[in-house]
Amino acid sequence: MSIQVHLDRLLAERGMTLTELADRVGVTVVNLSILKNGRARAIRFSTLTALCEALDCQPGDLLSHRRG
Amino acid sequence: MSRGNPLEPLTGVASAVLTLSVIVYGAATAIRLTVGLFQPVCFTAKYWPHDAEGRDLAAGVRLDDVERVTLCVDEPEPWHHVLGFLSEGPVPLAQTAALLLLVLLLRDAARRGIYTTETATTVRHLGHYLLWVLPTVAMVESIARTTLVHAAVTFDAGFLAFFGEWEAPWWAVITGIALLSLAKIMRTSAEMRADLEGTV
């Protein structure tokens, strides 16, 4: 997959667990885990907004595109 | 009606009809392979040129039923029995097989889910089966019947007569084409479902 999700790194930098993030953004741990492991096929703008607010970051910090 | 399985009552009805078909076809085949071997081989001649007259018949052949023009070979050879079976047996067998495929498809769909690529593929296979196998089997029957008629008469009945005898199962052709289209729709739906489930 060419879109990389950097949820692991952002969580580690902020000392936050996946469960805490799930509580803050209102998304299930299962869905966040799908996103974290790169198995998500799409992400809603509302989810992205909630994640950026909870992690105090920009969409570009969370996602990046890798060629090939 | 079960609320859990959206494929009911179709699955139940198809299973019941399949069971009935297997019993009837099995019994008919058993009778044919036992008692039938000692009976005359009879077959219909769809395009009989002599109305109700039994003219131009080969030795040992008689005109049995005037309304449907049924010819009978009173002392049949083994090949008469084989062709007699091929003139009546394959289409019911193919229809029973189609029912079996339908029941397996419905059970798999209930287990795996309707909107999966595997179910769509199975629907496509059933569509191809109905579209190609049933008309082909009907043609085999017509060729067998025509061969029997050729051997039973003394005049030239025409080598292409089996096309006239061919009772193409149009319901199977139409249903097969419809299933191929449905399979494409289901494949698209399955991909949409996967996208939806993968959306966070």
Side-chain angles (χ1 to χ4, degrees), chain B residues 108-171:
Chain B
D108 278 356
R111 186 170 47 82
R112 286 191 299 231
I114 299 169
Y115 296 111
T116 60
T117 50
E118 290 87 358
T119 303
T121 303
T122 317
V123 170
R124 185 164 57 85
H125 289 162
L126 181 59
H128 278 299
Y129 180 86
L130 292 179
L131 184 58
W132 304 111
V133 174
L134 280 179
T136 304
V137 165
M139 180 165 275
V140 168
E141 274 197 0
S142 70
I143 291 172
R145 207 161 38 238
T146 306
T147 307
L148 282 169
V149 173
H150 272 265
V153 297
T154 55
F155 62 91
D156 182 12
F159 285 109
L160 296 177
F162 64 84
F163 281 116
E165 288 272 344
W166 186 34
E167 293 169 359
W170 295 112
W171 67 268

Side-chain angles (χ1 to χ4, degrees), chain B:
Chain B
M1 192 168 74
S2 168
R3 290 186 66 187
N5 182 4
L7 298 171
E8 289 291 358
L10 182 59
T11 308
V13 170
S15 298
V17 174
L18 174 65
T19 306
L20 192 65
S21 299
V22 168
I23 291 169
V24 170
Y25 190 80
T29 305
I31 290 169
R32 183 139 207 161
L33 291 175
T34 52
V35 182
L37 291 178
F38 305 101
Q39 300 287 322
V41 170
C42 294
F43 44 92
T44 55
K46 199 173 173 183
Y47 297 102
W48 184 247
H50 303 314
D51 291 336
E53 297 176 36
R55 289 194 283 134
D56 299 329
L57 294 174
V61 178
R62 61 185 162 81
L63 183 65
D64 187 61
D65 185 345
V66 174
E67 291 296 320
R68 292 177 58 216
V69 186
T70 303
L71 301 177
C72 288
V73 181
D74 284 330
E75 293 178 6
E77 301 284 328
W79 66 268
H80 282 113
H81 286 293
V82 172
L83 285 180
F85 178 77
L86 285 177
S87 71
E88 291 178 345
V91 166
L93 179 64
Q95 288 173 343
T96 306
L99 266 174
L100 175 65
L101 289 176
L102 176 64
V103 169
L104 291 176
L105 160 68
L106 291 171
R107 286 182 182 169
D108 278 356
R111 186 170 47 82
R112 286 191 299 231
I114 299 169
Y115 296 111
T116 60
T117 50
E118 290 87 358
T119 303
T121 303
T122 317
V123 170
R124 185 164 57 85
H125 289 162
L126 181 59
H128 278 299
Y129 180 86
L130 292 179
L131 184 58
W132 304 111
V133 174
L134 280 179
T136 304
V137 165
M139 180 165 275
V140 168
E141 274 197 0
S142 70
I143 291 172
R145 207 161 38 238
T146 306
T147 307
L148 282 169
V149 173
H150 272 265
V153 297
T154 55
F155 62 91
D156 182 12
F159 285 109
L160 296 177
F162 64 84
F163 281 116
E165 288 272 344
W166 186 34
E167 293 169 359
W170 295 112
W171 67 268
V173 173
I174 301 295
T175 309
I177 291 170
L179 284 180
L180 292 181
S181 292
L182 180 65
K184 281 186 182 174
I185 294 168
M186 288 177 69
R187 182 172 291 277
T188 306
S189 301
E191 287 167 3
M192 288 170 67
R193 179 190 175 215
D195 280 346
L196 200 61
E197 285 187 344
T199 301
V200 176

